[in-house]
Amino acid sequence: LSTHSSWQTFCTAPLRVPPSSASAHGAASLPVVLPNTFFLPDAIKKHQKSLSAWFSNQPNEERQFGPSFSLDAVHVDPVIRESSLEQILKPSPDLTIQHQLQQPCRRVISLQNLFDVDACGRQVKNVVLYGTVGTGKSTLIKKLVVDWCHGLLPRFELVIPFSCEDLSHSHVPISLRRLITKKYQHLRDVVPLLGSSNLKVLFILNGLERLNLDFRLAGTELCCDANEPVPPSAIVVNLLRKYLLPEASIIVTTRPSAVRRIPGKYVGRYAEICGFSDTNLQKLYFQLRLSQPGCDGENNVASRSGEQDNLVEMLSRNLERQNQIAAACFLPSYCWLVCTTLHFLYFTRTVPPSQTLSGIYTSFLRLNFSGEVLDSTDPTKISMMKYVAKTVGKLAHEGVMSRKTSFTEEDLQQCFEVEMKTESELNQLEVFRSDVFRFFLTPCVQPGKEHTFVFTIPAMQEYLAALYVVLGEKKTLMQKVGKEVSEIIGKVSEDAAVVLSIISKVLPLRFLPVLFNLLKMFPRFFSRLSGKGRDTIARTMAEELFKEEDYYNDDVLDQINSSILGVEGPMRHPDEAADDEVFELFPIFMGGILSRRNRAILEQLGCSIKNLAAFEIAKAMKKTVIRNSRKGLPPSELMDYLFFLHEFQNERFTAEAVRSLRTINLSSVKMTPLKCSVLASVIGSTNHEVEELNLTSCNLDSSSLRTLFPILLRCKFLHLQLNSLGPDACKEIRDLLLHDKCAVNNLRLGNNPIGEQGAQYLAEALAGNRSLTQLSLLHTALGDRGVELIAQHLAENQQLQEINLGYNSLTDTAALPSLPAAATPCIPPPSPQRLLLSHSLYFNDISEDGKRALDSLRMDRDGVRALVFLTAGTDVSDYWSSILNVVHKNLPFWDRERVRQHLTIILQDLESSRRQTVNPWRKAKFLRVESEVKKMLGKLQHGTL
């Protein structure tokens, strides 16, 4: 991973070692053994401590991986292949990924052997280490410096790193010795030894593409005096010429386009960083990165290790399938992005305000580009990211609009070359193709599409398309011409205003104010045109966010997970038609890019989005996005909408959008810790009451309930069925129901393994709760003892009106006492405050006598109604359809043989009751219900239900 900002900051300020740095990094305790050195000066020891302390620091983006993460712990050396200037200048004959990954003719060389003698036996002094963006040049150099500080590079007694970006900002003449002491104060006593002793010195020049070097004698004079002030570029040229400090070794890192700036006669060895061209290196990187202790923020070592190992295993299997992700992870930077995304998806327990998916991608681009210009020799000095947004962003956007992910060479020419008019633009394109192209686009590995290109990571296409739109690069011809004309007229009007104001004092002509207003008219017109463009951005966002054809796809977080880990199951046949491409991240990234934090980072990359533009887009979105969100959305699309609001990071907008969400249906959405955090964060932006929250079959557990606790308190109707909620989760539900601000009045807990222990917690909750009126405990494995525990506390609850205890293996022992209004010695008689109306006990092991006793209870007399049969004496129960509907919905989760036995008994009971009645209308009702039960039994028998 490239970290240019670390180099620049380190090399622009003198280093001072904090008192705690030695103990913090352990550099002082490591043995340093240097050959041919009897005495190591204290100054060099201090230098090593300073370099180790600095280069061991990791960017903020790395701190999410836990306190144990360090460069030493997870570094994997990329493949380095020896090269030559001829190979660099020769165009690649093959664009397929196999050509990138398999280059057996080029010798692999390790970092420690770069200065070994060459093929002719000559000692190598100057090494050019080059690679495209994302191959890990800067990280490799950081590791080299840290290794030297720890005594693992004994070839050199002194290492002096320089940032070429830092040197490019200084044009004041300075001597080499002064330059070194300016950057490294503690080398003041060592600098006089340079050139006058046998001290083995290594100079590191990182990012040579930032410097404009001129090796002609007419451009850069010869200089062999380390004390003579010359421009920094002249120092670099004379070091490489071996005219200044000829015994020093030099390693230069650069992008491919800048390699030719150094004449070949001054280079002893060319070496290309080829990234992780071996999938085993990719697997090793993932193993080290995802297995770090503390990576997931959990204290449970066993569960942590199991989930991490599972992720690594799934990722390895996906790499072995020769999937497109293996081509992406050819670049170490994308390995970092994959790990960071997985960490975000799996180990995010709470969502910090700044942690968003769009934030990860924006930070990823900052770490790799860091405001670099595309070509330092070009007078326009266009930033690399700005160029990418204009060109690759256009390609990405056209692909999203046409639902296309693979692109031909003709497609690339249309986006990159159609507007090229000048020599400068042609040079920029050549630099881009050489240095940056493979970072964003890679040959497709799908059979039959080997000569087409796809985005390295699918989500990157949607991010760049979003950036292209938000930056306003998607303009009509009128907008492009209008902007240029407006700028010209705007400048002219400023000058004309001054002239006209002077003339009007001398010649008070009436037409002058009219002329002056005409000059101002066009810029105002263009300003209105720009405002319409922002309305268009808002409309585009709404249209893409609420596309009906995407309504029944997985939510975007599951889509990202599948794109990285793959989909388990048989592989698709090559001749099978592919699924339609889905681009649901595109509008979410549009919202995320507009957040204040991402705009600040993009500003550093040369992609400016003004505060006023962001404000006007958000204002326009209120008319489109919020209005569309009021329509009923399927669960997966609603989750996407909530994720969009989280990514947008606009509290006022989110609060207004959330107030319109009174019913939230997320049933069957796999609620990972991240999704729970997003839901809690977004809905928590307001304090409004939620009418209904449906979390049926969402893979919830006790930690999920803890995360969602503030939201659950405000819900009136709460669905928690089919979530495998056990006793631990019931503790959380107890705390929820006993909270003084609990608003829940209808709670569905069916098909959860609550058991006897869970029933104890629920009984305690019922005793103290004052809001609950309906409770469903259908098929929750309560048993007789669990129901008895609940029955003991029901008398203390005066609000509960309905309770469903169906399919809980109850016998007569528990069934009758469970009715608080029944005439039993331990339960008080009904009172005006007692409002219990309905008590469902169907599909239990109650005897016929017990069923008749329960059926004899009457609302007007006993204050309770027990639903046990589909019959009510010689009539059909008014609730027969409700009972059969419950059976039909829950059949996939129930024991089918047991359900068949119960339905058989119900059918016999219906037939018996029908024979007893003489009323023809009642007989007809019985026949109708019998028909429904027979249909259900038939489907059960044939396995079609």
Side-chain angles (χ1 to χ4, degrees), residues 146-157:
V146 172
D147 282 350
W148 174 75
C149 295
H150 292 174
L152 302 178
L153 198 65
R155 182 191 294 266
F156 301 106
E157 298 167 349

Side-chain angles (χ1 to χ4, degrees), residues 6-79:
S6 298
W7 277 92
Q8 183 179 7
T9 310
F10 176 68
C11 295
T12 53
L15 285 176
R16 295 177 177 85
V17 186
S20 60
S21 63
S23 59
H25 298 278
S29 61
L30 293 171
V32 180
V33 181
L34 298 177
N36 303 323
T37 304
F38 178 74
F39 174 73
L40 186 64
D42 290 339
I44 294 183
K45 288 184 178 180
K46 289 181 181 179
H47 183 57
Q48 288 178 321
K49 291 178 182 179
S50 298
L51 289 179
S52 176
W54 181 264
F55 283 97
S56 296
N57 286 332
Q58 296 296 325
N60 290 333
E61 288 80 5
E62 300 285 13
R63 295 177 185 174
Q64 63 188 306
F65 290 99
S68 62
F69 174 79
S70 67
L71 186 64
D72 292 330
V74 299
H75 181 75
V76 177
D77 282 332
V79 173

Side-chain angles (χ1 to χ4, degrees), residues 80-85 88 107-130 155 250-252 259 262 264-272:
I80 304 174
R81 296 185 184 275
E82 193 164 6
S83 183
S84 65
L85 189 59
I88 297 168
R107 185 171 74 93
V108 175
I109 187 170
S110 68
L111 191 64
Q112 288 75 17
N113 297 330
L114 287 176
F115 290 94
D116 289 352
V117 295
D118 63 12
C120 299
R122 292 172 297 194
Q123 183 64 47
V124 172
K125 287 293 183 180
N126 291 351
V127 173
V128 172
L129 190 63
Y130 69 95
R155 182 191 294 266
I250 302 172
I251 186 167
V252 172
V259 170
I262 307 176
K265 62 182 178 181
Y266 298 129
V267 180
R269 173 170 284 125
Y270 291 96
E272 180 183 8

Side-chain angles (χ1 to χ4, degrees), residues 768-787:
N769 177 263
R770 296 295 177 268
S771 65
L772 202 62
T773 59
Q774 299 177 56
L775 174 64
S776 174
L777 296 172
L778 176 70
H779 191 224
T780 49
L782 298 178
D784 282 350
R785 180 56 185 159
V787 172

Side-chain angles (χ1 to χ4, degrees), residues 623-638:
K623 306 173 187 176
T624 54
V625 174
I626 295 179
R627 183 174 63 243
N628 280 277
S629 70
R630 292 186 179 125
K631 303 174 183 177
L633 295 174
S636 62
E637 289 301 302
L638 180 57

Side-chain angles (χ1 to χ4, degrees), residues 182-366:
K182 181 181 177 182
K183 306 300 179 184
Y184 307 103
Q185 290 181 353
H186 32 260
L187 292 181
R188 189 176 290 109
D189 297 333
V190 179
V191 167
L193 301 177
L194 296 178
S196 60
S197 68
N198 293 325
L199 191 66
K200 296 179 180 178
V201 182
L202 171 64
F203 286 98
I204 298 175
L205 302 173
N206 188 49
L208 190 75
E209 67 276 358
R210 304 291 189 99
L211 283 175
N212 293 327
L213 303 181
D214 189 349
F215 281 81
R216 299 172 303 154
L217 290 177
T220 305
E221 64 177 342
L222 297 173
C223 175
C224 63
D225 186 358
N227 293 313
E228 182 179 349
V230 293
S233 60
I235 293 176
V236 173
V237 168
N238 281 290
L239 282 172
L240 291 169
R241 283 172 173 167
K242 289 301 164 195
Y243 204 75
L244 181 63
L245 299 184
E247 296 304 317
S249 298
I250 302 172
I251 186 167
V252 172
T253 67
T254 186
R255 302 200 305 255
S257 64
V259 170
R260 68 191 73 181
R261 296 184 190 176
I262 307 176
K265 62 182 178 181
Y266 298 129
V267 180
R269 173 170 284 125
Y270 291 96
E272 180 183 8
I273 303 177
C274 297
F276 295 153
S277 55
D278 185 349
T279 54
N280 289 324
L281 292 177
Q282 300 173 8
K283 292 179 184 179
L284 177 60
Y285 181 92
F286 293 133
Q287 178 72 40
L288 292 173
R289 178 64 68 121
L290 293 173
S291 301
Q292 285 297 299
C295 172
D296 58 0
E298 287 285 311
N299 295 323
N300 190 333
V301 176
S303 64
R304 175 190 68 210
S305 177
E307 188 166 13
Q308 290 171 331
D309 292 345
N310 186 45
L311 281 179
V312 173
E313 177 63 27
M314 292 177 68
L315 197 50
S316 297
R317 285 203 299 268
N318 205 20
L319 290 170
E320 289 167 0
R321 292 173 184 158
Q322 296 300 316
N323 203 300
Q324 195 69 49
I325 192 172
C329 293
F330 171 83
L331 294 173
S333 286
Y334 276 96
C335 292
W336 180 90
L337 181 61
V338 166
C339 289
T340 307
T341 305
L342 287 176
H343 185 275
F344 178 68
L345 293 176
Y346 282 89
F347 302 132
T348 303
R349 301 300 181 231
T350 58
V351 183
S354 60
Q355 191 167 8
T356 62
L357 187 65
S358 52
I360 288 175
Y361 275 73
T362 307
S363 297
F364 171 68
L365 294 174
R366 182 186 68 81

Side-chain angles (χ1 to χ4, degrees), residues 576-801:
E576 187 179 347
D579 295 332
D580 292 336
E581 300 294 347
V582 178
F583 296 96
E584 293 184 83
L585 267 175
F586 170 53
I588 292 174
F589 276 143
M590 287 177 70
I593 288 170
L594 286 169
S595 71
R596 185 180 297 274
R597 179 176 180 272
N598 285 331
R599 283 189 285 118
I601 295 175
L602 288 168
E603 181 76 32
Q604 300 171 19
L605 297 175
C607 299
S608 178
I609 304 170
K610 301 300 181 185
N611 289 334
L612 181 60
F615 172 79
E616 290 179 347
I617 293 171
K619 185 178 178 181
M621 284 167 57
K622 291 182 180 180
K623 306 173 187 176
T624 54
V625 174
I626 295 179
R627 183 174 63 243
N628 280 277
S629 70
R630 292 186 179 125
K631 303 174 183 177
L633 295 174
S636 62
E637 289 301 302
L638 180 57
M639 188 67 240
D640 289 348
Y641 179 57
L642 295 172
F643 190 59
F644 165 80
L645 294 175
H646 168 71
E647 291 281 315
F648 192 35
Q649 296 284 295
N650 186 319
E651 292 182 5
R652 291 179 60 185
F653 182 90
T654 300
E656 187 169 342
V658 166
R659 287 192 191 97
S660 64
L661 295 177
R662 295 290 178 177
T663 299
I664 302 173
N665 180 11
L666 296 174
S667 60
S668 301
V669 173
K670 185 179 179 181
M671 294 299 291
T672 62
L674 172 62
K675 294 178 191 175
C676 289
S677 297
V678 168
L679 176 60
S681 173
V682 171
I683 303 299
S685 61
T686 67
N687 293 319
H688 80 288
E689 205 169 60
V690 179
E691 292 292 332
E692 183 175 359
L693 176 59
N694 191 342
L695 296 175
T696 301
S697 189
C698 288
N699 292 79
L700 299 179
D701 56 19
S702 56
S703 64
S704 304
L705 296 181
R706 279 194 296 273
T707 302
L708 295 171
F709 192 90
I711 309 304
L712 302 181
L713 278 176
R714 292 153 42 192
C715 298
K716 289 185 176 181
F717 194 163
L718 183 56
H719 299 260
L720 296 176
Q721 309 98 295
L722 295 164
N723 277 299
S724 301
L725 299 177
D728 289 341
C730 288
K731 283 185 183 180
E732 305 298 327
I733 295 172
R734 176 195 63 186
D735 295 342
L736 172 71
L737 295 176
L738 291 177
H739 198 281
D740 57 354
K741 293 184 179 180
C742 179
V744 179
N745 56 37
N746 191 333
L747 178 60
R748 303 280 179 89
L749 289 171
N751 295 296
N752 285 301
I754 291 174
E756 182 181 325
Q757 183 60 51
Q760 176 65 50
Y761 296 128
L762 293 179
E764 296 172 10
L766 287 174
N769 177 263
R770 296 295 177 268
S771 65
L772 202 62
T773 59
Q774 299 177 56
L775 174 64
S776 174
L777 296 172
L778 176 70
H779 191 224
T780 49
L782 298 178
D784 282 350
R785 180 56 185 159
V787 172
E788 288 171 359
L789 290 170
I790 290 174
Q792 291 170 10
H793 292 81
L794 273 179
E796 302 174 44
N797 188 303
Q798 299 298 317
Q799 281 73 40
L800 195 65
Q801 298 179 23

